[in-house]
Amino acid sequence: MDIFEKDLSGAMVSPDEPGYDKLISTIFDTMATAAEMNAKGWLTPEEVHEYLRRITGREIDKSTTLLPPFYVDYGKNIRIGKGCWIQQGCTFFDRGGITIGDGVFIAPKVNLITITRPESG
């Protein structure tokens, strides 16, 4: 299992592991792409979809709308269905995976956080 699979599974990853630098680099690249989108001000739906494609690594259906600003850490574990509406100011930390089905409405400033922590005990 590589570090990306390990991270997605919820297991703790360490800076000492092979691939850690690539994982962190990908997170910062994704955050930079989202910051670039957010700084643009008004964007067409097509421009937002292009940014989402860059963030997620996959095409987002034209029937889905996202209103920036949008905050994200990794991005590659986000899957968004058709006909979704995602309001402004949402934060998706998707290192544990986020799947949004078809026709979902997400209100402003919703946080979807799937990063896990080990249980203390």
Side-chain angles (χ1 to χ4, degrees), residues 40-55:
K40 294 269 184 175
W42 187 86
L43 297 168
T44 67
E46 294 79 20
E47 290 170 318
V48 172
H49 278 233
E50 175 56 24
Y51 276 105
L52 285 175
R53 187 197 59 73
R54 289 174 49 199
I55 288 168

Side-chain angles (χ1 to χ4, degrees), residues 52-109:
L52 285 175
R53 187 197 59 73
R54 289 174 49 199
I55 288 168
T56 65
R58 59 185 51 84
E59 296 295 325
I60 304 299
D61 193 84
K62 291 180 182 180
S63 64
T64 286
T65 301
L66 178 134
L67 303 177
F70 176 62
Y71 307 97
V72 60
D73 65 346
Y74 182 62
K76 307 305 182 253
N77 295 327
I78 297 172
R79 284 152 182 72
I80 303 173
K82 297 176 181 178
C84 295
W85 183 269
I86 302 167
Q87 284 281 4
Q88 297 152 319
C90 290
T91 299
F92 292 3
F93 286 177
D94 64 296
R95 289 173 47 206
I98 294 173
T99 300
I100 300 168
D102 294 342
V104 173
F105 175 87
I106 298 179
K109 298 185 180 180

Side-chain angles (χ1 to χ4, degrees), residues 6-66:
K6 185 176 179 182
D7 194 50
L8 179 60
S9 78
M12 291 295 292
V13 295
S14 164
D16 300 326
E17 292 182 58
Y20 185 81
D21 290 343
K22 179 140 175 67
L23 174 65
I24 296 304
S25 175
T26 302
I27 290 168
F28 278 96
D29 289 347
T30 300
M31 291 171 61
T33 300
E36 178 183 312
M37 176 179 68
N38 295 339
K40 294 269 184 175
W42 187 86
L43 297 168
T44 67
E46 294 79 20
E47 290 170 318
V48 172
H49 278 233
E50 175 56 24
Y51 276 105
L52 285 175
R53 187 197 59 73
R54 289 174 49 199
I55 288 168
T56 65
R58 59 185 51 84
E59 296 295 325
I60 304 299
D61 193 84
K62 291 180 182 180
S63 64
T64 286
T65 301
L66 178 134

